């Protein structure tokens, strides 16, 4: 009598793994999927960065700051001058990168439906930068968030969830008392606030002390006031603010040179503020691919 045949093991049909991955991805917020995709095109692989912390290798001497314990003072180095110095050592563990994205009303600028708003692009860049940081084995923190850092590849979803739950109406970041010292900071927005307010915000962060970078996001039509575009000709009504403020410009052609000059002066002021604090400054336009700005930021965050 012939032995009964054992049923052949079940095998997944071709493409099953891809379909499963697609199904899992569908459960994630669209911003997480888009950010991870943008990050993947910029960098493959991970690496750490050097920062101050617990370790044996000497890194640098720095001036004593309020809050430092007396046990960390290097008395031999301090005896060479009239100031107290802290001896810092190298730490190979992960560094914290703190990110902030502007969500004030001016970020809702949209020239056409084919182009994202400044807020959409800023949120994408913020999430994509977080993805790169997490891929590199580092921690990422949202300025203005609940005050916790995210780590690991799985931390991107929780970071984006925090982004969506934070009421971000200010044109500049609020003070973050939980921000780790010597962290890296990246601020993304249009920075249309008055220069004195921008200076105060950057100076407060630089004195913490942290070093950082400013990424100004602008729409090309916004930057040139629609030069060469028929939609910006003759009488144009501009509206802004939650209170419905508006201004009627009789002839945009005549106002354009003054507007362009003032915007140029404003950008120069932001660059000067960043330089004085030892920060970086760059501009990104919405007609450019987000990968270009993300790569520039990632290179700027690389260890010196």
């Amino acid at each position: 009598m012939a032995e009964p045949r054992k049923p052949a093991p079940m095998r997944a049909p071709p493409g099953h793994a891809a379909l499963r991955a697609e199904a899992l991805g569908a459960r994630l917020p669209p911003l997480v999927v888009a950010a991870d995709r943008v990050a993947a095109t910029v960098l493959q692989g991970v690496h750490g960065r050097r920062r101050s912390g617990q370790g044996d290798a000497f890194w640098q001497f720095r001036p004593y700051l309020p809050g430092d314990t007396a046990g960390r003072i290097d008395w031999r180095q301090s005896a060479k001058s009239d100031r107290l110095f802290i001896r810092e050592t190298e730490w190979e563990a992960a560094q914290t990168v703190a990110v902030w994205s502007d969500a004030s009303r001016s970020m809702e600028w949209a020239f056409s439906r084919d182009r994202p708003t400044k807020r959409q692009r800023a949120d994408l860049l913020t999430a994509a930068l977080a993805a790169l940081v997490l891929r590199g084995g580092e921690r990422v923190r949202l300025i203005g968030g609940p005050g916790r850092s995210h780590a690991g590849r799985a931390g991107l979803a929780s970071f984006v969830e925090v982004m969506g739950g934070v009421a971000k109406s200010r044109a500049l970041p609020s003070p973050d008392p939980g921000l780790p010292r010597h962290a890296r900071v990246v601020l993304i927005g249009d920075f249309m606030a008055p220069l004195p307010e921008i200076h105060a915000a950057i100076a407060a962060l630089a004195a913490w002390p942290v070093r950082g970078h400013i990424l100004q996001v602008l729409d090309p039509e916004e930057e040139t006031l629609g030069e060469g575009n028929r939609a910006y000709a003759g009488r144009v009504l501009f509206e802004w603010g939650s209170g419905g403020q508006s201004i009627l410009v009789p002839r945009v052609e005549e106002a354009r040179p003054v507007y362009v000059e003032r915007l140029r002066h404003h950008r120069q002021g932001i660059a000067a503020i960043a330089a004085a604090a030892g920060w970086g400054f760059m501009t990104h336009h919405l007609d450019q691919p987000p990968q270009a700005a993300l790569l520039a930021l990632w290179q700027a965050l690389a260890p010196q």
Side-chain angles (χ1 to χ4, degrees):
M1 183 175 180
E3 295 183 1
R5 281 186 164 183
K6 294 182 180 180
M10 296 290 292
R11 294 186 179 182
H16 178 74
L19 291 174
R20 183 173 180 273
E22 183 178 349
L24 291 174
R27 301 177 188 175
L28 296 173
L31 182 57
V32 174
V33 178
D36 207 38
R37 184 181 298 115
V38 171
T41 63
V42 171
L43 180 69
Q44 296 293 334
V46 298
H47 64 81
R49 282 196 253 278
R50 192 175 78 165
R51 60 160 290 188
S52 171
Q54 301 299 320
D56 298 326
F58 171 74
W59 185 36
Q60 68 173 4
F61 290 113
R62 67 163 175 82
Y64 174 88
L65 296 172
D68 291 329
T69 61
R72 298 190 61 199
I73 298 176
D74 190 289
W75 296 106
R76 179 176 298 180
Q77 181 68 20
S78 301
K80 299 178 182 179
S81 67
D82 57 353
R83 303 177 64 185
L84 296 178
F85 286 91
I86 298 294
R87 180 186 180 90
E88 291 192 326
T89 54
E90 184 177 331
W91 188 30
E92 298 295 347
Q95 182 185 22
T96 297
V97 177
V99 193
W100 173 85
S101 64
D102 182 6
S104 58
R105 188 172 176 83
S106 64
M107 294 293 289
E108 298 300 332
W109 174 289
F111 168 68
S112 69
R113 295 182 179 180
D114 298 331
R115 190 178 294 168
T117 65
K118 292 186 292 182
R119 177 174 181 174
Q120 289 171 335
R121 179 58 58 85
D123 283 348
L124 175 59
L125 289 172
T126 300
L129 180 61
L132 281 180
V133 171
L134 296 172
R135 282 170 176 261
E138 301 173 311
R139 297 185 298 269
V140 64
R141 175 190 180 94
L142 183 68
I143 297 179
R148 66 186 181 93
S149 297
H150 305 262
R153 292 287 296 273
L156 180 59
S158 61
F159 177 83
V160 170
E161 182 179 0
V162 170
M163 283 181 59
V166 173
K168 302 176 295 181
S169 59
R170 290 171 55 92
L172 293 167
S174 303
D176 187 350
L179 187 64
R181 287 183 174 179
H182 306 292
R184 293 290 183 128
V185 171
V186 176
L187 308 180
I188 304 175
D190 62 8
F191 294 91
M192 290 299 186
L195 288 177
E197 296 181 12
I198 297 176
H199 178 268
I202 301 303
L205 286 169
W208 189 246
V210 296
R211 296 183 61 187
H213 301 273
I214 297 174
L215 178 65
Q216 185 182 38
V217 179
L218 296 175
D219 189 290
E221 303 293 337
E222 173 189 30
E223 188 172 25
T224 65
L225 201 59
E227 184 176 7
N229 192 312
R230 294 181 180 179
Y232 293 83
R235 292 162 53 93
V236 177
L237 179 66
F238 293 91
E239 297 178 335
W240 72 95
S242 58
Q245 299 95 327
S246 64
I247 182 174
L248 178 63
V249 180
R251 288 189 57 82
V252 173
E253 297 86 349
E254 296 177 358
R256 182 173 293 117
V258 178
Y259 172 89
V260 171
E261 176 60 23
R262 288 187 178 181
L263 183 58
R264 185 186 67 83
H265 176 77
H266 187 76
R267 181 184 297 173
Q268 289 179 343
I270 300 174
I273 291 171
W279 285 36
F281 172 71
M282 60 190 75
T283 302
H284 171 67
H285 297 108
L286 295 182
D287 60 343
Q288 299 172 341
Q291 289 87 345
L294 186 60
L295 178 60
L297 283 175
W298 188 241
Q299 291 175 336
L301 287 172
Q304 302 297 323

